[in-house]
Amino acid sequence: RKEVEQDPGPFNVPEGATVAFNCTYSNSASQSFFWYRQDCRKEPKLLMSVYSSGNEDGRFTAQLNRASQYISLLIRDSKLSDSATYLCVVTFNKFYFGSGTKLNVKP
Amino acid sequence: NAGVTQTPKFRILKIGQSMTLQCTQDMNHNYMYWYRQDPGMGLKLIYYSVGAGITDKGEVPNGYNVSRSTTEDFPLRLELAAPSQTSVYFCASSTRDSPQFFGPGTRLTVL
Protein backbone atom coordinates (compact mmCIF):
# COMPACT_ATOMS: atom_id res chain seq x y z
CA ARG A 1 0.00 0.00 0.00
CA LYS A 2 1.31 3.46 -0.88
CA GLU A 3 2.07 5.83 1.98
CA VAL A 4 0.04 8.62 0.34
CA GLU A 5 -2.76 8.21 -2.19
CA GLN A 6 -4.60 10.77 -4.27
CA ASP A 7 -7.27 10.60 -6.95
CA PRO A 8 -5.34 11.57 -10.11
CA GLY A 9 -8.39 13.29 -11.66
CA PRO A 10 -8.64 15.29 -13.77
CA PHE A 11 -11.28 17.35 -12.03
CA ASN A 12 -12.90 19.54 -14.69
CA VAL A 13 -14.87 22.40 -13.12
CA PRO A 14 -16.31 25.71 -14.36
CA GLU A 15 -15.02 29.04 -13.11
CA GLY A 16 -16.59 29.98 -9.81
CA ALA A 17 -17.16 26.40 -8.71
CA THR A 18 -16.11 24.92 -5.39
CA VAL A 19 -13.93 21.83 -5.63
CA ALA A 20 -12.44 19.54 -2.99
CA PHE A 21 -9.64 17.01 -3.09
CA ASN A 22 -8.85 14.34 -0.53
CA CYS A 23 -5.60 12.60 0.17
CA THR A 24 -5.31 9.49 2.32
CA TYR A 25 -2.21 8.39 4.21
CA SER A 26 -1.31 5.02 5.66
CA ASN A 27 0.79 5.82 8.72
CA SER A 28 -1.27 6.93 11.72
CA ALA A 29 1.86 8.42 13.31
CA SER A 30 2.43 10.87 10.44
CA GLN A 31 3.69 14.17 11.73
CA SER A 32 3.26 17.03 9.26
CA PHE A 33 1.01 17.64 6.29
CA PHE A 34 1.26 20.00 3.33
CA TRP A 35 -0.41 20.84 0.05
CA TYR A 36 1.74 21.81 -2.94
CA ARG A 37 0.75 23.17 -6.32
CA GLN A 38 2.59 22.18 -9.50
CA ASP A 39 2.03 23.94 -12.80
CA CYS A 40 2.83 22.14 -16.03
CA ARG A 41 6.60 21.74 -16.49
CA LYS A 42 7.33 23.74 -13.33
CA GLU A 43 8.56 22.91 -9.86
CA PRO A 44 6.16 22.09 -7.01
CA LYS A 45 5.44 25.11 -4.84
CA LEU A 46 4.15 25.08 -1.29
CA LEU A 47 0.49 26.09 -1.20
CA MET A 48 -0.18 25.66 2.49
CA SER A 49 0.59 23.63 5.56
CA VAL A 50 -2.25 21.67 7.13
CA TYR A 51 -2.86 22.09 10.83
CA SER A 52 -4.86 19.88 13.17
CA SER A 53 -7.53 22.52 13.68
CA GLY A 54 -7.85 23.22 9.97
CA ASN A 55 -6.67 26.41 8.32
CA GLU A 56 -7.72 28.82 5.63
CA ASP A 57 -5.81 31.03 3.24
CA GLY A 58 -8.13 33.15 1.14
CA ARG A 59 -10.15 30.83 -1.10
CA PHE A 60 -8.26 27.75 0.09
CA THR A 61 -9.15 25.67 3.14
CA ALA A 62 -7.14 22.70 4.34
CA GLN A 63 -8.33 20.15 6.87
CA LEU A 64 -6.82 17.16 8.64
CA ASN A 65 -8.80 14.15 9.82
CA ARG A 66 -6.47 12.00 11.89
CA ALA A 67 -9.14 9.46 12.81
CA SER A 68 -9.79 8.61 9.16
CA GLN A 69 -6.23 9.41 8.05
CA TYR A 70 -6.89 11.91 5.32
CA ILE A 71 -6.27 15.54 4.51
CA SER A 72 -8.43 17.67 2.28
CA LEU A 73 -8.11 20.83 0.22
CA LEU A 74 -11.15 22.93 -0.62
CA ILE A 75 -10.97 25.63 -3.27
CA ARG A 76 -13.84 28.11 -3.41
CA ASP A 77 -14.71 30.38 -6.33
CA SER A 78 -12.30 28.61 -8.69
CA LYS A 79 -10.26 30.76 -11.05
CA LEU A 80 -8.75 29.79 -14.40
CA SER A 81 -5.36 30.33 -12.75
CA ASP A 82 -6.11 27.55 -10.24
CA SER A 83 -5.64 25.00 -13.04
CA ALA A 84 -2.67 22.91 -11.89
CA THR A 85 -1.77 19.62 -10.24
CA TYR A 86 -2.16 19.57 -6.46
CA LEU A 87 0.20 17.34 -4.48
CA CYS A 88 -0.33 16.29 -0.91
CA VAL A 89 2.69 15.62 1.28
CA VAL A 90 2.85 13.70 4.53
CA THR A 91 5.89 13.33 6.74
CA PHE A 92 6.94 10.52 9.04
CA ASN A 93 10.71 10.87 9.49
CA LYS A 94 10.80 11.56 5.75
CA PHE A 95 8.63 13.23 3.14
CA TYR A 96 6.05 11.23 1.21
CA PHE A 97 4.58 12.89 -1.88
CA GLY A 98 1.31 11.91 -3.47
CA SER A 99 1.22 11.58 -7.25
CA GLY A 100 -1.07 14.61 -7.53
CA THR A 101 -4.62 15.52 -8.51
CA LYS A 102 -5.05 17.46 -11.72
CA LEU A 103 -7.51 20.36 -11.73
CA ASN A 104 -8.79 22.01 -14.90
CA VAL A 105 -10.88 25.14 -14.41
CA LYS A 106 -12.86 25.97 -17.55
CA PRO A 107 -14.30 29.36 -18.60
CA ASN B 1 17.37 35.12 -1.01
CA ALA B 2 17.57 33.21 -4.27
CA GLY B 3 16.22 30.07 -2.58
CA VAL B 4 17.17 26.91 -4.50
CA THR B 5 18.94 27.36 -7.81
CA GLN B 6 19.71 24.68 -10.39
CA THR B 7 21.91 24.67 -13.45
CA PRO B 8 21.65 23.98 -16.30
CA LYS B 9 17.98 24.55 -17.15
CA PHE B 10 18.15 22.24 -20.19
CA ARG B 11 20.64 19.70 -21.46
CA ILE B 12 20.82 17.14 -24.23
CA LEU B 13 23.26 14.27 -23.71
CA LYS B 14 24.31 11.45 -25.94
CA ILE B 15 24.12 7.89 -24.62
CA GLY B 16 27.19 7.13 -22.53
CA GLN B 17 28.07 10.74 -21.76
CA SER B 18 28.34 12.03 -18.20
CA MET B 19 27.30 15.27 -16.58
CA THR B 20 26.78 16.98 -13.25
CA LEU B 21 23.56 18.76 -12.34
CA GLN B 22 24.25 21.60 -9.95
CA CYS B 23 22.04 22.59 -7.00
CA THR B 24 22.67 25.41 -4.53
CA GLN B 25 20.53 26.77 -1.72
CA ASP B 26 21.06 29.91 0.35
CA MET B 27 18.57 29.19 3.15
CA ASN B 28 21.07 27.35 5.37
CA HIS B 29 18.96 24.18 5.15
CA ASN B 30 20.57 21.00 6.36
CA TYR B 31 18.37 18.69 4.30
CA MET B 32 18.67 18.50 0.53
CA TYR B 33 17.04 16.18 -1.99
CA TRP B 34 17.15 15.16 -5.62
CA TYR B 35 14.02 14.00 -7.42
CA ARG B 36 13.21 13.00 -10.96
CA GLN B 37 9.80 13.41 -12.54
CA ASP B 38 8.86 11.65 -15.75
CA PRO B 39 6.02 13.09 -17.90
CA GLY B 40 2.64 12.68 -16.22
CA MET B 41 4.16 10.94 -13.23
CA GLY B 42 4.91 11.76 -9.61
CA LEU B 43 8.20 12.68 -7.99
CA LYS B 44 10.70 9.92 -7.33
CA LEU B 45 13.46 10.45 -4.77
CA ILE B 46 16.94 9.71 -6.11
CA TYR B 47 19.22 10.73 -3.23
CA TYR B 48 19.02 12.91 -0.16
CA SER B 49 21.35 14.44 2.39
CA VAL B 50 20.78 15.43 6.01
CA GLY B 51 23.91 17.52 6.26
CA ALA B 52 27.36 18.13 4.85
CA GLY B 53 29.20 14.86 4.41
CA ILE B 54 26.08 12.70 4.79
CA THR B 55 24.15 11.28 1.84
CA ASP B 56 21.74 8.39 1.42
CA LYS B 57 19.89 6.60 -1.35
CA GLY B 58 16.28 7.23 -2.21
CA GLU B 59 14.02 4.92 -4.20
CA VAL B 60 15.74 5.25 -7.63
CA PRO B 61 19.51 5.79 -7.07
CA ASN B 62 20.89 3.54 -9.80
CA GLY B 63 22.92 5.43 -12.40
CA TYR B 64 23.43 8.46 -10.16
CA ASN B 65 25.89 9.68 -7.56
CA VAL B 66 25.89 12.61 -5.18
CA SER B 67 28.23 14.41 -2.83
CA ARG B 68 27.65 17.01 -0.13
CA SER B 69 30.85 18.82 0.80
CA THR B 70 29.11 22.04 1.91
CA THR B 71 25.73 22.96 3.38
CA GLU B 72 24.87 24.99 0.27
CA ASP B 73 25.69 22.61 -2.58
CA PHE B 74 24.35 19.19 -3.53
CA PRO B 75 25.46 18.17 -7.05
CA LEU B 76 24.01 15.12 -8.82
CA ARG B 77 26.31 13.17 -11.11
CA LEU B 78 25.07 11.07 -14.02
CA GLU B 79 27.57 8.52 -15.26
CA LEU B 80 27.06 6.77 -18.61
CA ALA B 81 23.77 8.46 -19.48
CA ALA B 82 20.97 6.23 -20.76
CA PRO B 83 17.66 7.11 -22.50
CA SER B 84 15.84 5.96 -19.34
CA GLN B 85 17.37 8.95 -17.56
CA THR B 86 15.47 11.40 -19.76
CA SER B 87 13.44 13.30 -17.21
CA VAL B 88 13.03 16.54 -15.29
CA TYR B 89 15.28 16.71 -12.24
CA PHE B 90 14.31 18.78 -9.23
CA CYS B 91 16.48 19.67 -6.28
CA ALA B 92 14.85 20.65 -2.98
CA SER B 93 15.91 21.70 0.48
CA SER B 94 14.37 21.92 3.94
CA THR B 95 15.08 22.02 7.61
CA ARG B 96 14.15 18.94 9.61
CA ASP B 97 10.62 20.19 10.29
CA SER B 98 9.88 22.60 7.45
CA PRO B 99 8.27 21.86 4.10
CA GLN B 100 10.60 21.35 1.15
CA PHE B 101 11.42 24.19 -1.24
CA PHE B 102 12.20 23.27 -4.82
CA GLY B 103 14.49 24.62 -7.49
CA PRO B 104 13.19 25.31 -11.02
CA GLY B 105 14.41 21.99 -12.40
CA THR B 106 16.75 20.71 -15.10
CA ARG B 107 15.22 19.17 -18.21
CA LEU B 108 17.48 16.40 -19.44
CA THR B 109 17.16 14.50 -22.70
CA VAL B 110 19.39 11.53 -23.46
CA LEU B 111 19.54 10.56 -27.14
Side-chain angles (χ1 to χ4, degrees), chain A residues 2 6 38 44 85 87 97-100, chain B residues 35-45 59-60 87-88 90:
Chain A
K2 289 184 180 179
Q6 294 183 252
Q38 186 174 24
T85 297
L87 310 175
F97 282 80
S99 296
Chain B
Y35 295 90
R36 61 175 287 172
Q37 187 174 37
D38 299 331
M41 306 296 285
L43 296 165
K44 292 186 178 177
L45 182 65
E59 58 181 307
V60 290
S87 192
V88 180
F90 291 109

Side-chain angles (χ1 to χ4, degrees), chain B residues 73-98:
Chain B
D73 301 305
F74 190 39
L76 178 72
R77 178 86 179 156
L78 277 73
E79 305 283 1
L80 298 174
S84 61
Q85 293 177 305
T86 293
S87 192
V88 180
Y89 291 83
F90 291 109
C91 179
S93 73
S94 73
T95 65
R96 179 179 175 175
D97 300 314
S98 77

Side-chain angles (χ1 to χ4, degrees), chain A residues 30-100:
Chain A
S30 294
Q31 298 153 325
S32 300
F33 307 87
F34 308 100
W35 281 103
Y36 280 72
R37 170 196 170 120
Q38 186 174 24
D39 293 294
C40 187
R41 299 174 65 79
K42 299 281 192 180
E43 74 272 25
K45 292 184 177 177
L46 179 67
L47 180 65
M48 57 199 303
S49 302
V50 187
Y51 303 117
S52 298
S53 55
N55 48 298
E56 190 174 300
D57 183 2
R59 298 181 293 108
F60 298 83
T61 300
Q63 300 218 311
L64 167 63
N65 186 318
R66 282 197 182 269
S68 300
Q69 293 181 212
Y70 72 87
I71 62 173
S72 63
L73 178 67
L74 180 80
I75 306 175
R76 289 182 298 277
D77 188 23
S78 299
K79 311 290 185 193
L80 294 176
S81 57
D82 293 334
S83 296
T85 297
Y86 291 84
L87 310 175
C88 72
V89 179
V90 173
T91 72
F92 179 71
N93 295 327
K94 55 198 293 189
F95 284 76
Y96 296 95
F97 282 80
S99 296

